[in-house]
Amino acid sequence: MQIIQFILDLGPTVMMPVIITILGVLFGQKISKAFRAGLTIGIGFAGINLVIGLLVNNLSPATQAMVTNWGLKLDIMDVGWPIAASISFGTTIVPAVFLIGIFINTVMLGLNWTKTMNVDLWNYWHFIFTGALVMYLTNNVVIGLIASALTIIIILKLADFTAPYVEKFFQMPGVSLPHTETVSWALVGIGINKILDKIPGINKINFDTDTIQKKFGIFGEPMIMGLILGAGIGGLAKYQVKEIIVLAVNMSAVMFIMPRMVRILMEGLLPLSESAREFINKRFPGKEVYIGLDAAVVIGHPAVISTGLIMIPITLLIAAILPGNRLLPFTDLAVLPFLVIWAVVPSKGNIIRSVITSTIMVCFMLLIATDIAGVATIMAKDVNFAFPEGTSTISSLDAGAHLIPYIIFKIVQLFMT
């Protein structure tokens, strides 16, 4: 556990260069080339994390002001994904899930059951979260670990299935996204998009970022869209003029800088992808391998960020009127761009379709977050989580986005009754 914790504490900015350098050497690169590629990827991740920090640090106060100003009162507090991750890492099954995850991925690669080599070790907390939910539901560690293993297998297969979409839409060859709370919704997003194809009127609307830029000129450029959307959110938060301007410029900066940070990361990743392809082709002709990364590498797309920003007020409205919802969206409103990725990709960046699909997804996310709140609260108490004053029950919008873990959780719950 101390070894695992030491590695995790390094964070992706340091952890990724180490992993990529080791992989590069294993795939036959010179150590200098492998180290350069690894360091470049680390720099790319550092840049992405800085921009995500800019996004979250500016959006969080605005979303909290919106919650306060709109007078929403619901009894389950959205404590955010960082708390869900820290609670997961505080459970007893952490070392076992890491060992199981690495073993499963290695065996599946060796037997050609997956093409994804998941190097996103930090987000193993998703698999731990699944196991912990089931373990606390059943009071059985073994069943919890089986749930984690099933989640790992399913997510790897979904990452394989969606990799061609990632390559085509985000221009990222050789990359897959085994990121549980995002890729879990890929089939849902693809299915909804197929339904929208058959609805007269909607199926004729093409409102992607390229079309917007052609029709509106400078006002359709990503930086200007960020400026407008940031100002809109500031207005809904009832900010003063000065605060609205600051938020608008910072959202403009996010839209402008993020794609450049992703390009830096890809500069380091492409040599590894090429070396991996050559290494595999020599030993296993025809076999393909994807590098499994955090979904953070794709949220810089203008359509993803735009859809995420538009969904902030819509999510608050849904939370207020959705029957059965008890979750007060709060901390995780700022990370909605992550949760809408697989609404955007199947629609090929069509903002109208993306918002429609995201709205449907968010309804389910809120209900899932509400349903698992009881077990999530027990987990939090067991690891001595400090509850916010006046809060007795917690969950998070991100936890509600863990669709595959939730399905496994409900199946186990069904067999218990």
Side-chain angles (χ1 to χ4, degrees):
M1 187 62 215
Q2 288 178 336
I3 294 170
I4 291 170
Q5 196 60 53
F6 176 80
I7 295 170
L8 292 173
D9 287 344
L10 293 175
T13 304
V14 177
M15 189 168 63
M16 289 303 294
V18 174
I19 294 171
I20 298 302
T21 301
I22 293 170
L23 287 175
V25 172
L26 290 175
F27 289 143
Q29 289 181 348
K30 291 182 179 178
I31 191 165
S32 57
K33 183 179 180 180
F35 179 72
R36 187 186 186 283
L39 188 58
T40 303
I41 289 173
I43 291 167
F45 262 107
I48 289 169
N49 286 335
L50 285 171
V51 181
I52 291 173
L54 180 66
L55 174 75
V56 173
N57 291 339
N58 280 272
L59 276 182
S60 290
T63 56
Q64 291 168 17
M66 289 171 67
V67 171
T68 302
N69 294 335
W70 291 22
L72 293 182
K73 296 190 183 300
L74 296 160
D75 67 322
I76 299 175
M77 174 61 71
D78 171 12
V79 294
W81 75 264
I83 302 301
S86 63
I87 290 171
S88 297
F89 281 130
T91 58
T92 57
I93 62 171
V94 173
V97 173
F98 268 92
L99 293 173
I100 289 169
I102 294 168
F103 175 76
I104 287 174
N105 197 184
T106 304
V107 170
M108 288 181 69
L109 280 168
L111 296 175
N112 291 326
W113 293 350
T114 185
K115 297 177 181 179
T116 294
M117 180 189 298
N118 187 6
V119 300
D120 185 21
L121 296 182
W122 163 255
N123 282 312
Y124 266 50
W125 80 262
H126 301 153
F127 310 138
I128 298 164
F129 181 73
T130 310
L133 273 179
V134 173
M135 181 179 72
Y136 280 91
L137 174 69
T138 61
N139 290 317
N140 190 307
V141 175
V142 174
I143 296 176
L145 292 175
I146 292 171
S148 292
L150 284 173
T151 304
I152 292 164
I153 293 167
I154 295 168
I155 294 302
L156 288 173
K157 297 302 290 184
L158 283 173
D160 291 345
F161 174 74
T162 54
Y165 288 85
V166 173
E167 178 174 358
K168 187 173 182 181
F169 185 74
F170 295 112
Q171 301 299 304
M172 287 188 166
V175 171
S176 67
L177 306 174
H179 197 244
T180 306
E181 72 263 59
T182 57
V183 77
S184 287
W185 295 91
L187 296 179
V188 177
I190 292 167
I192 294 172
N193 189 63
K194 288 185 182 298
I195 293 170
L196 294 177
D197 277 336
K198 301 182 185 302
I199 300 177
I202 291 177
N203 59 8
K204 300 296 183 185
I205 298 173
N206 183 21
F207 209 61
D208 61 19
T209 49
D210 290 338
T211 304
I212 292 170
Q213 192 163 344
K214 286 177 185 175
K215 287 186 177 181
F216 298 100
I218 187 173
F219 293 101
E221 291 184 15
M223 69 171 78
I224 305 299
M225 289 171 60
L227 192 78
I228 294 168
L229 290 170
I233 289 173
L236 290 171
K238 297 185 179 179
Y239 272 7
Q240 299 297 318
V241 173
K242 177 183 175 182
E243 295 170 311
I244 291 175
I245 293 171
V246 171
L247 179 60
V249 172
N250 281 323
M251 291 305 99
S252 177
V254 168
M255 296 279 274
F256 184 80
I257 297 171
M258 182 69 89
R260 285 156 175 77
M261 295 300 102
V262 173
R263 281 203 289 272
I264 292 171
L265 182 140
M266 289 305 296
E267 183 185 327
L269 191 63
L270 285 175
L272 176 68
S273 296
E274 290 168 5
S275 297
R277 197 170 291 113
E278 290 172 8
F279 180 86
I280 296 298
N281 284 339
K282 282 181 183 177
R283 290 158 180 80
F284 308 99
K287 185 174 180 178
E288 190 176 14
V289 172
Y290 304 129
I291 308 299
L293 296 176
D294 189 328
V297 301
V298 301
I299 71 159
H301 193 284
V304 174
I305 295 183
S306 298
T307 302
L309 294 178
I310 292 168
M311 284 304 300
I312 289 173
I314 293 175
T315 300
L316 283 172
L317 180 62
I318 294 169
I321 64 175
L322 181 66
N325 174 58
R326 293 167 50 205
L327 180 79
L328 177 65
F330 196 65
T331 307
D332 275 341
L333 285 170
V335 295
L336 271 167
F338 280 89
L339 306 185
V340 303
I341 290 170
W342 287 103
V344 175
V345 176
S347 71
K348 299 176 182 175
N350 187 321
I351 304 293
I352 303 298
R353 286 194 180 202
S354 299
V355 170
I356 293 171
T357 305
S358 297
T359 300
I360 296 169
M361 287 181 175
V362 163
C363 289
F364 285 106
M365 290 176 190
L366 288 168
L367 293 175
I368 291 170
T370 297
D371 194 34
I372 65 173
V375 178
T377 301
I378 294 170
M379 285 170 54
K381 288 178 178 176
D382 196 48
V383 299
N384 299 316
F385 168 69
F387 281 68
E389 188 175 346
T391 301
S392 60
T393 310
I394 66 163
S395 188
S396 68
L397 193 59
D398 180 88
H402 283 66
L403 179 60
I404 298 301
Y406 178 70
I407 291 171
I408 294 171
F409 173 84
K410 293 305 287 184
I411 290 171
V412 174
Q413 192 176 54
L414 181 66
F415 278 100
M416 287 179 62
T417 56

